[in-house]
Amino acid sequence: MRLAILGAGGFLGSHLLERLVLDGEHDLRAVDISADKIAGVESARLEVTVADLGASPDLVDDFVQWSDAVIDLVAVANPSLYVESPLDVFELNFMKNLDVVRSCVEHHTRLIQFSTSEIYGQPTGERYLEDESPLVMGPVSKQRWIYGSAKAMLERVIHAYGLEDRLDYVVFRPFNIIGPRLDYLVPAGTLGGPRVFAHFMSALLTNGPMHLVNGGTVRRCFTHVDDAISGVLATLDDPRANRQAFNLGNPDNETTIRGLAELMVDLYTELTGSHWTNELVDISGEAFYGTGYEDTNRVPPDVAKLRALGWRPDRDLKQTVRDSMRYYL
Ligand code: UGA
């Protein structure tokens, strides 16, 4: 198969590309504005392009026309940015991705689209179910929700093209996937910026404080990146996946954010023999991210759909966090 990976230089893209190159089964083209995270990934069947797809619309068509399937990972996925630059989030996560969707429709190319767990918004049940759970966004005045809203609208457009028989697709909704190359580290005491794992890792490495936003009581399911990539690959050749959305997360790895902090502190001692001696500091969402932030207490994903294709996430929470920490250490 000819596969084009848009956004291949990001966290998930770099892991996906690495695995596809290792499997050696496909012809690959990869594109991103930076190729730093895929610098060591090489193959005679891989062509890497460093370019801004947003600034060169013809390039999108070029990749789509060449491919049997396009894997679209172009996005920002960092809550700080939703609060700071909501219009940029809309432009990239909706408008740019819409160009990709339309190009796939025009050239009859299959689309594998990365969406987000955030489209569910505030939970209304025990589990998020792909085809049943309502999408409950917060108020417009809390601009954090522009990200989930943009991704949800993109999914609705993709679904509608599928209904008209004009697009074959698979959609993934990732749940807090972590691993090597996730995010950048920050100086001690930084507010906002990267996602929670990188903040806590930075605190451990600098012996700085860990901030628990609103007490760290909300829950997330942290998923090992290797398990997530296996989930994506499980759908590649399976016709049952066509025109379906899949939760991509490990429901068994649920913890509170405080629980994640405590686990990382313990693992730091186990891995380094040193002790982190700073403290967990409670902080409001507003003070940490700025006005317009609102949090969500996510429930675990139901992953029966992906399991039915043979997928089994088998890294538990401790291994998932330990493997991610080892990379940064
Ligand atoms: C984000 C994205 O919006 C999702 O689309 C994406 O699926 C997810 O990350 C992901 O990593 O996959 P979120 O889980 O809210 O969603 O992102 P984080 O920045 O990792 O925050 C998780 C929780 O930790 C939030 O409650 C946040 O307020 C809290 N937090 C963050 C802290 O308590 N301390 C920190 O230093 C940073």
Side-chain angles (χ1 to χ4, degrees):
M1 216 191 301
R2 290 175 158 199
L3 291 176
I5 302 148
L6 316 183
F11 163 57
L12 288 177
S14 70
H15 284 271
L16 184 59
L17 188 68
E18 209 170 62
R19 187 85 78 86
L20 288 167
V21 163
L22 214 62
D23 291 351
E25 286 174 24
H26 304 288
D27 292 314
L28 305 166
R29 287 180 71 187
V31 59
D32 209 317
I33 40 173
S34 159
D36 291 352
K37 290 185 178 177
I38 50 173
V41 187
E42 284 171 13
S43 158
R45 297 180 72 180
L46 165 67
E47 183 189 305
V48 175
T49 305
V50 177
D52 179 356
L53 285 176
S56 16
D58 292 348
L59 210 55
V60 171
D61 272 342
D62 175 46
F63 279 101
V64 172
Q65 260 179 298
W66 173 84
S67 316
D68 298 309
V70 165
I71 305 177
D72 183 8
L73 294 128
V74 173
V76 285
N78 183 326
S80 245
L81 293 172
Y82 318 160
V83 176
E84 278 163 38
S85 318
L87 286 175
D88 291 344
V89 171
F90 168 74
E91 286 296 334
L92 187 70
N93 290 4
F94 184 75
M95 296 305 286
K96 275 307 136 211
N97 284 281
L98 186 61
D99 288 346
V100 177
V101 174
R102 288 189 160 148
S103 180
C104 286
V105 170
E106 190 186 337
H107 300 295
H108 309 288
T109 302
R110 189 172 178 222
L111 174 65
I112 297 165
Q113 179 67 53
F114 276 73
S115 180
T116 174
S117 53
E118 199 147 320
I119 68 156
Y120 293 112
Q122 302 294 8
T124 54
E126 304 276 294
R127 295 262 157 145
Y128 291 119
L129 284 146
E130 290 98 336
D131 302 309
E132 288 170 39
S133 295
L135 313 184
V136 185
M137 296 294 128
V140 170
S141 54
K142 303 290 182 192
Q143 68 267 26
R144 188 249 164 84
W145 297 104
I146 197 164
Y147 170 76
S149 303
K151 289 280 202 180
M153 192 62 203
L154 191 76
E155 278 204 42
R156 289 190 189 279
V157 172
I158 289 170
H159 176 70
Y161 277 122
L163 286 178
E164 292 193 359
D165 228 0
R166 294 162 70 190
L167 182 66
D168 284 338
Y169 68 84
V170 178
V171 164
F172 287 105
R173 299 174 184 159
F175 282 72
N176 295 83
I177 299 167
I178 62 171
R181 306 191 289 275
L182 173 64
D183 274 335
Y184 55 95
L185 298 173
V186 287
T190 300
L191 306 181
R195 281 167 286 189
V196 67
F197 174 85
H199 267 290
F200 291 173
M201 195 68 231
S202 304
L204 292 170
L205 291 170
T206 58
N207 204 33
M210 288 190 191
H211 292 105
L212 293 179
V213 173
N214 299 327
T217 56
V218 299
R219 309 181 80 85
R220 296 287 190 271
C221 291
F222 290 93
T223 303
H224 198 294
V225 68
D226 292 345
D227 281 333
I229 300 304
S230 299
V232 176
L233 298 184
T235 66
L236 263 195
D237 298 316
D238 196 322
R240 290 174 297 174
N242 194 30
R243 296 183 184 164
Q244 295 295 324
F246 293 95
N247 289 334
L248 188 61
N250 189 339
D252 299 331
N253 286 0
E254 191 187 32
T255 179
T256 59
I257 299 303
R258 181 182 285 275
L260 174 73
E262 288 166 353
L263 176 62
M264 289 180 70
V265 170
D266 287 349
L267 285 171
Y268 183 73
T269 304
E270 179 189 308
L271 290 167
T272 65
S274 308
H275 293 280
W276 174 78
T277 54
N278 211 303
E279 45 183 18
L280 300 173
V281 179
D282 279 3
I283 187 168
S284 72
E286 196 136 295
F288 192 81
Y289 290 104
T291 309
Y293 180 73
E294 189 169 73
D295 210 343
T296 159
N297 186 17
R298 283 182 206 146
V299 292
D302 183 292
V303 289
K305 281 178 77 175
L306 203 48
R307 278 181 177 274
L309 304 187
W311 179 64
R312 296 280 174 275
D314 56 12
R315 278 87 169 178
D316 66 13
L317 181 66
K318 203 165 179 182
Q319 185 187 350
T320 298
V321 176
R322 190 195 282 118
D323 286 356
S324 310
M325 287 179 68
R326 270 213 189 95
Y327 167 80
Y328 287 92
L329 287 168

